[in-house]
Amino acid sequence: MTDVMSSAAELLGSRCRVLVTGGAGFIGGAVVRRLLNESEAIVFNLDKMGYASDLTSINQVLVSLGPEAADRHQLLKVDLCDAEAVAQSVKRADPDLVMHLAAESHVDRSISGPGVFIDSNVTGTYNLLQAVRLHYEGLPESRRGPFRLHHISTDEVFGSLGAHGRFEETTPYDPRSPYSASKAASDHLVNAWHHTFGLPVVLTNCSNNYGPWQFPEKLIPVVTLKAAAGEDIPLYGDGLNVRDWLYVEDHVDALLLAACKGESGRSYCVGGHGERTNREVVETICLQLDELKRSAAPHRDLIRRVTDRPGHDRRYAINPARISSELGWKPRHDVSTGFRETVRWYLDHQDWCSRVREQAHYDGGRLGTVT
Ligand code: NAD
Ligand code: DAU
């Protein structure tokens, strides 16, 4: 850790039982690894073990920590849509902190099949809120004060920006994809449980994450793997849509700060000043691959413009002033070095990528077109 960031143990303080939902996914996995590595907390990992789930990285950490750490990670293989199983899991975990990351997360899949997004992200969040509310009401006074339910959300709830401006906590909600609408609904439910039932909650709305262990269906792993294999690289529309890229470990820094130090009822926007057009991102990755992996022609020759994503949001950008000034967060990675490390990681982990794609019955093809 740098001197600006406290360790997970320091941030957790007296909280020693943490329930993480979605901890077998990309960002949840990074949260679980951090908690295991940097604290003594027992981590209950509630995940349905869907197509994007994988425990390889967590198992590696457990091996490195030795046998005495084995019991500190407890997988609860539960679908949030099963209210009874969720209630039992919360009872078993008896948490001091809940970090809710479980969600269907891929916009393209929400276009092809929106139903599971409503089930997991809306009904699933409702089931969790009901179970956690019961748990909170039964806690002794000494555990109530530090208790939080931290809901991890996205900048996509704010809609699409024009050429100027950035999202901040007061930006009105304007979701435009089935994914972002389902996340917006879950944000509203969390706020309602705070105002109506007094549940202590914190929300964060973050921009696009990148880094190792992301299921290879999103832009950065897709481009890296396709280019490395000499396949066409699909660039949606004119390639000028803008995303604000943040290294996943910087997001974990922000999540732990918000969960442990955030004010109840407050939301925090998280983003890394990493605005790039998709074309810039794709060309950067191609240039990095030219250096890392020899090919007859420059990798950028593989870029192909393909039909746009329906309802494709034009630009996202975050103003992280609140989390920076109130909680002292700032990103520790810049986009160019972060992308380079990530591209190298995917090149070195192509076996893992093939395995998880195969397990998920996903061939790497285009998702999310409307027929
Ligand atoms: P992911 O798809 O990699 O992982 C999500 C995990 O949630 C998976 O393991 C999945 O099995 C689990 N899950 C989904 N539905 C479930 C259900 N009904 N019951 C139990 N488990 C379920 O997603 P991610 O990229 O790690 O995103 C995690 C969270 O962060 C999501 O809530 C997402 O909306 C939010 N977020 C993601 C990004 C990003 O760039 N990836 C940015 C901002 C916010
Ligand atoms: O902004 C935060 C969101 O970022 C999270 O809430 C989502 O969970 C996460 O998936 C991500 O959503 P995006 O839709 O922005 O990410 P994706 O990687 O799918 O796409 C990034 C951009 O790249 C987007 O403008 C679409 C474009 N794209 C994507 C793919 C997969 C392409 O041009 N080609 C592709 O093959």
Side-chain angles (χ1 to χ4, degrees):
M1 304 292 311
T2 65
D3 51 357
V4 290
M5 270 298 301
S6 307
S7 72
E10 287 167 320
L11 289 169
L12 285 172
S14 64
R15 304 172 186 94
C16 53
R17 301 173 71 88
V18 184
L19 174 61
V20 177
T21 75
F26 167 49
I27 303 171
V31 169
V32 170
R33 295 194 301 273
R34 181 77 70 86
L35 290 170
L36 292 173
N37 271 322
E38 282 190 8
S39 80
E40 299 294 319
I42 304 177
V43 181
F44 295 85
N45 183 350
L46 186 160
D47 200 300
K48 71 178 176 185
M49 299 305 289
Y51 79 92
S53 307
D54 184 69
L55 294 174
T56 307
S57 67
I58 292 172
N59 288 333
Q60 286 177 358
V61 168
L62 290 171
V63 168
S64 75
L65 290 173
E68 60 282 5
D71 290 345
R72 287 189 42 228
H73 178 250
Q74 310 225 358
L75 177 68
L76 307 169
K77 187 172 181 294
V78 164
D79 191 324
L80 285 174
C81 298
D82 181 345
E84 184 51 39
V86 173
Q88 280 172 14
S89 300
V90 171
K91 221 172 177 179
R92 178 172 154 199
D94 185 21
D96 300 301
L97 171 66
V98 178
M99 298 180 76
H100 176 36
L101 296 102
E104 291 298 333
S105 71
H106 191 27
V107 174
D108 287 337
R109 286 183 193 260
S110 83
I111 297 166
S112 318
V116 67
F117 285 72
I118 309 305
D119 294 343
S120 283
N121 302 359
V122 185
T123 308
T125 299
Y126 161 72
N127 288 337
L128 183 71
L129 284 166
Q130 285 291 71
V132 171
R133 177 185 158 208
L134 198 68
H135 166 71
Y136 174 70
E137 286 167 358
L139 281 178
E141 207 54 44
S142 58
R143 289 180 69 198
R144 275 187 175 211
F147 183 88
R148 292 284 183 281
L149 179 136
H150 175 194
H151 178 60
I152 286 82
S153 191
T154 170
D155 59 357
E156 299 201 12
V157 298
F158 300 121
S160 184
L161 288 165
H164 305 289
R166 293 188 290 172
F167 297 134
E168 48 197 27
E169 291 78 6
T170 50
T171 305
Y173 276 41
D174 183 22
R176 297 147 60 101
S177 74
Y179 163 69
S180 54
S182 69
K183 290 296 291 187
S186 66
D187 290 13
H188 291 316
L189 290 176
V190 169
N191 280 321
W193 261 243
H194 172 69
H195 289 291
T196 307
F197 303 116
L199 190 65
V201 304
V202 169
L203 284 87
T204 47
N205 296 86
C206 187
S207 59
N208 287 60
N209 283 214
Y210 67 92
W213 306 109
Q214 183 172 37
F215 183 79
E217 63 184 351
K218 296 185 181 165
L219 183 67
I220 290 184
V222 164
V223 171
T224 307
L225 295 172
K226 286 198 182 288
E231 294 169 14
D232 287 355
I233 301 168
L235 186 62
Y236 296 175
D238 62 8
L240 297 180
N241 302 67
V242 173
R243 298 292 182 265
D244 187 350
W245 294 95
L246 181 69
Y247 192 63
V248 63
E249 293 296 335
D250 289 330
H251 189 193
V252 175
D253 290 347
L255 294 180
L256 289 172
L257 270 172
C260 300
K261 302 278 180 212
E263 190 183 314
S264 176
R266 204 151 172 80
S267 73
Y268 300 88
C269 283
V270 186
H273 305 288
E275 277 188 69
R276 298 285 186 284
T277 65
N278 293 337
R279 178 167 284 284
E280 285 170 325
V281 169
V282 171
E283 288 180 346
T284 302
I285 293 174
C286 287
L287 282 174
Q288 290 171 348
L289 279 169
D290 290 344
E291 289 170 24
L292 294 168
K293 193 174 188 303
R294 277 175 183 279
S295 68
H299 288 91
R300 61 170 293 163
D301 289 358
L302 297 166
I303 300 172
R304 301 280 178 274
R305 276 174 64 165
V306 297
T307 325
D308 208 353
R309 171 186 279 174
H312 197 177
D313 288 339
R314 192 62 173 169
R315 176 172 163 259
Y316 304 144
I318 287 275
N319 176 1
R322 178 183 284 179
I323 192 163
S324 300
S325 65
E326 294 183 12
L327 304 182
W329 176 81
K330 64 175 180 193
R332 292 185 281 157
H333 300 80
D334 67 61
V335 171
S336 46
T337 48
F339 277 1
R340 182 180 294 277
E341 279 171 31
T342 304
V343 167
R344 198 189 296 272
W345 190 91
Y346 281 99
L347 284 183
D348 292 344
H349 291 78
Q350 293 185 63
D351 287 353
W352 176 81
C353 294
S354 304
R355 180 167 61 74
V356 293
R357 278 210 302 222
E358 212 168 289
Q359 278 166 7
H361 307 291
Y362 172 56
D363 64 5
R366 176 82 193 262
L367 297 164
T369 48
V370 176
T371 47

